[in-house]
Amino acid sequence: MSCTRWLQCAWSWCRACVRSVRRDVWVPTPEYRSAEVQFDFTYEGGRHAGVLTVVHSQRNRVQVYTVYRELVGLQDDVYNSTGPKYMPALNRLLGAGGTRMSNFVVPTGLCCPARTSLLTGKLAHCTNAGQKFLNQYLETYAPSGYAPAGFTHFEALTVNAYNMTNSCFSLSGAASTCYPGEYQTELIMTKALDYIGSYAAANAPFLLYVAPTAPHRSSTDGILWYPPTPAKQYANLYSASENQVPRGLNWDFRNRNLPRRGAVAVDATFEAFMDSLYLYRLRALRSVDDLIGSIVGKLQRLGVLNNTYVIFTSDNGYHMGAFSLLDGKNLPIEEDVRVPFFIRGPGIPAGQVLPYQANLVDLAPTILALAGLALPGHLDGLPMPLNPQLAAAHTQVLLASVAPAPEASGQTEGGSVAAAGSEKAAWGGPMLRDTTILEGWEGDAAARTNFTVDVVANLSAHYKALRLCTDTKLLQPSPRDAQTAAGDPNLFSARYVLDPGVTCYKYTVWCQGNRELYDLAADPYELSNRITTAPLRIANRLDAVLSALVHCSGASCRNPYSLLHPGGGVWNFSGTLPSQYDPMYRGLSKLRILRCRSSYDPANELTWTQTAVAGTGTSG
């Protein structure tokens, strides 16, 4: 299926904020596999930040429980808000009791497109859900009794989505019920526990998707916004003096390539505002942590915890003061794209910290692989290598991902690939995907001249970026590298990913024409743009691989090297480096974004794949 055909996946119901849902899923019959297991939902949820998923296995059935919150989706990873000090239940029950991915990213760091990717397994350019809009579900827009495909109960936040003490919900399109005086996160917890109890009593598999608004900013009218409202018992939790927003090396640093203007001055007023916002976010998150603890406790009391997978992640990160910026998201900086990811369940190692670079579109194929089902060929992601079996599935799907020849209309993809088989992959072996695309359009309404078409060009956050984690050092050390670790008071923070032998790089192309290249191991705060000093043969390859991902779908997203080297034999960036390929990479046209836009238009993002012919990319 081409990317343009996926426009319907989440566009219509991106306005909805699902708080809890249930579906009997993954009963492995041929009819079910072909009809409903593809995550091809016509709904995409509302404005949240975190994701907790639980998958419960019962012989040939799987139960999935998902908690998806606003910011832990608007939850950062690099500011350490998911650390054990602030979210003890998360770390005790899912961290020590399961696996944490320490290098997990979202391809598009914005609520609506990220949640669309979570539910469909497709990148944002394949759904064109690239904006943040209509984040509340309005029952008057839906037919009576409406629930999106795949959902039995669809309980959506409607009016007062950001009023934490007077929220309103609609159940499957019915009239809203409001709950004045009740704290939203606690109300959602009560609803979630009730659903778990009723479905567990029926001895049926279920998927529960829960999305509290916290720690999003609060508002009673949608016009005036203030720091998130914590629960009463946490109103004074944590001292202000001991819980300030981390001030890394990019604090009070200006990156002129970023289209958003920073604060006029990083002064005492600016710092006090950022510190207050950070503190109130931490206080609001404590109720999210309570929600996690209550749900895991309920599963344990019902005797189903040991065959239940619980996953927690987020839809986007959040910057607060980095590069002198006010708070926000939807940029390719680490603050916005790095998010937490935790998972526990059968066969998931306890206490493991895995530095592999996974991303949000990997969640759907991971859950399907855990269920032992074939993966639909249109999925853009791969099973995460959380254990040896999933690593084998990851490798097998990667090797089977051979993309068709490029064509101007975008890649087509169909069929399915097996989730697991007889091939063995060495645990921690080299046959792992090393690329992730980061992409964004001006979906945050920061500088739109009208609602649907264009933005002010010099403020537009329209970009394409390649985040590459490879076993080959591509750049020589720079003078700033030695200063980074030595001068960073947050040296042991989540920002630093411990992965010996692997270096992550980020190459970004902006619609304004600017280009950036960072060595994230030596320069994790993205201070030293290496684009003008990088060897030309390296820059050519980075641009070519990014271009292969810009319009990808299915196999070409999972393995962009199959477009560059259709004859096979090249599965990672290191494989592109032999000098025999220099002429070919030198001759490929470079990525150009013609105009800053607020949505994806293939004709506006020009790549070599749109003019390539079958057979291009062997050797030059």
Side-chain angles (χ1 to χ4, degrees):
M1 182 179 291
S2 67
C3 285
T4 53
R5 292 277 304 281
W6 281 88
L7 186 63
Q8 62 185 357
C9 286
W11 191 258
S12 297
W13 296 107
C14 192
R15 67 198 67 179
C17 299
V18 169
R19 297 310 177 193
S20 48
V21 297
R22 179 262 191 184
R23 183 68 171 96
D24 289 342
V25 294
W26 302 329
V27 179
T29 65
E31 296 80 12
Y32 200 92
R33 285 195 188 101
S34 61
E36 296 178 359
V37 83
Q38 297 181 4
F39 284 79
D40 187 6
F41 299 141
T42 55
Y43 154 79
E44 173 25 31
R47 191 173 181 174
H48 314 290
V51 176
L52 173 66
T53 302
V54 180
V55 180
H56 171 73
S57 301
Q58 242 180 353
R59 292 187 301 276
N60 66 345
R61 295 185 294 179
V62 175
Q63 292 180 352
V64 180
Y65 166 73
T66 303
V67 174
Y68 183 80
R69 62 195 158 104
E70 164 61 294
L71 220 173
V72 168
L74 240 161
Q75 180 150 5
D76 58 88
D77 190 35
V78 300
Y79 288 139
N80 303 318
S81 65
T82 52
K85 176 180 179 181
Y86 303 120
M87 300 191 75
L90 172 66
N91 284 270
R92 183 179 70 256
L93 300 171
L94 273 65
T99 290
R100 177 174 73 88
M101 304 290 285
S102 61
N103 195 20
F104 192 83
V105 300
V106 288
T108 300
L110 189 63
C111 45
C112 186
R115 290 189 300 278
T116 304
S117 292
L118 181 147
L119 290 174
T120 65
K122 300 296 291 180
L123 293 162
H125 69 262
C126 286
T127 64
N128 221 348
Q131 302 185 35
K132 177 185 74 177
F133 67 101
L134 295 176
N135 275 332
Q136 293 163 244
Y137 171 84
L138 304 179
E139 67 270 18
T140 54
Y141 279 67
S144 177
Y146 170 81
F151 292 84
T152 301
H153 291 81
F154 176 71
E155 187 159 1
L157 186 66
T158 57
V159 183
N160 293 342
Y162 305 103
N163 185 338
M164 296 297 292
T165 56
N166 189 18
S167 301
C168 305
F169 292 80
S170 166
L171 178 60
S172 299
S176 292
T177 299
C178 300
Y179 299 85
E182 294 196 45
Y183 188 66
Q184 186 191 103
T185 308
E186 295 172 351
L187 176 62
I188 291 169
M189 178 176 68
T190 299
K191 290 177 178 290
L193 296 177
D194 288 345
Y195 279 122
I196 291 172
S198 61
Y199 298 133
N203 198 32
F206 63 91
L207 181 149
L208 182 63
Y209 176 110
V210 181
T213 299
H216 197 281
R217 281 204 194 197
S218 296
S219 177
T220 57
D221 56 11
I223 300 173
L224 297 176
W225 297 86
Y226 42 91
T229 304
K232 289 181 180 179
Q233 67 270 28
Y234 296 135
N236 297 305
L237 184 67
Y238 312 125
S239 69
S241 61
E242 296 178 1
N243 296 277
Q244 298 176 332
V245 64
R247 288 156 170 74
L249 299 185
N250 58 11
W251 183 271
D252 200 12
F253 181 89
R254 309 268 173 175
N255 180 354
R256 301 301 178 184
N257 289 299
L258 295 178
R260 294 184 187 164
R261 297 166 183 154
V264 175
V266 180
D267 54 15
T269 300
F270 176 90
E271 293 187 347
F273 176 74
M274 291 296 116
D275 287 338
S276 176
L277 179 61
Y278 181 70
L279 178 62
Y280 276 88
R281 283 166 52 83
L282 296 176
R283 290 169 173 169
L285 279 171
R286 195 56 179 261
S287 293
V288 177
D289 194 60
D290 290 345
L291 185 154
I292 295 168
S294 295
I295 286 173
V296 173
K298 179 81 169 185
L299 293 168
Q300 187 170 33
R301 290 191 299 275
L302 292 171
V304 298
L305 179 61
N306 289 337
N307 56 347
T308 300
Y309 291 94
V310 182
I311 304 169
F312 176 86
T313 189
S314 173
D315 58 359
N316 57 260
Y318 205 59
H319 58 260
M320 290 175 282
F323 301 107
S324 305
L325 296 169
L326 293 169
D327 60 303
K329 51 189 176 180
N330 199 33
L331 295 175
I333 60 178
E334 292 291 276
E335 287 80 1
D336 290 6
V337 302
R338 288 269 304 280
V339 296
F341 186 92
F342 293 75
I343 180 171
R344 67 167 292 158
I348 303 299
Q352 175 181 239
V353 178
L354 192 61
Y356 169 73
Q357 177 185 242
N359 70 76
L360 206 56
V361 297
D362 296 331
L363 185 54
T366 299
I367 293 176
L368 294 177
L370 287 169
L373 296 179
L375 307 184
H378 66 259
L379 294 179
D380 294 339
L382 290 164
M384 301 178 206
L386 299 166
N387 60 28
Q389 293 74 32
L390 287 173
H394 177 108
T395 296
Q396 183 183 1
V397 176
L398 178 65
L399 292 173
S401 298
V402 178
E407 55 188 20
S409 61
Q411 309 308 319
T412 59
E413 196 61 40
S416 65
V417 288
S422 59
E423 285 197 52
K424 301 292 184 182
W427 179 230
M431 199 54 68
L432 299 176
R433 182 197 59 205
D434 61 1
T435 60
T436 286
I437 187 173
L438 308 175
E439 55 187 355
W441 302 265
E442 186 43 78
D444 212 13
R448 233 172 258 155
T449 55
N450 64 59
F451 186 74
T452 58
V453 184
D454 273 324
V455 293
V456 177
N458 68 346
L459 292 180
S460 177
H462 180 177
Y463 62 86
K464 296 282 180 165
L466 171 69
R467 199 172 186 276
L468 171 75
C469 295
T470 174
D471 58 2
T472 302
K473 287 290 291 183
L474 304 179
L475 303 177
Q476 295 297 318
S478 72
R480 191 185 292 274
D481 292 349
Q483 304 170 12
T484 300
D488 185 10
N490 305 298
L491 179 58
F492 301 104
S493 71
R495 182 181 296 270
Y496 290 88
V497 177
L498 182 61
D499 193 5
V502 174
T503 302
C504 294
Y505 300 90
K506 186 185 296 178
Y507 169 66
T508 306
V509 176
W510 291 92
C511 65
Q512 295 86 354
N514 305 330
R515 295 173 189 259
E516 298 178 279
L517 174 60
Y518 297 101
D519 179 339
L520 297 176
D523 180 23
Y525 286 94
E526 302 171 273
L527 305 175
S528 180
N529 184 4
R530 305 292 300 278
I531 193 62
T532 59
T533 60
L536 184 59
R537 64 189 304 269
I538 298 299
N540 287 339
R541 284 162 167 79
L542 291 169
D543 192 89
V545 175
L546 173 58
S547 294
L549 291 165
V550 166
H551 306 299
C552 73
S553 180
S556 55
C557 299
R558 301 189 297 266
N559 178 19
Y561 304 104
S562 66
L563 288 179
L564 288 154
H565 298 268
V570 175
W571 303 98
N572 54 37
F573 196 85
S574 297
T576 71
L577 294 176
S579 59
Q580 70 191 76
Y581 299 130
D582 286 355
M584 184 269 285
Y585 281 102
R586 186 168 58 245
L588 294 177
S589 59
K590 301 300 182 285
L591 170 61
R592 286 193 301 140
I593 302 175
L594 299 181
R595 191 177 182 189
C596 297
R597 305 282 292 188
S598 57
S599 62
Y600 171 64
D601 176 5
N604 187 52
E605 299 174 1
L606 300 186
T607 70
W608 65 264
T609 65
Q610 294 162 308
T611 56
V613 296
T616 296
T618 51
S619 62

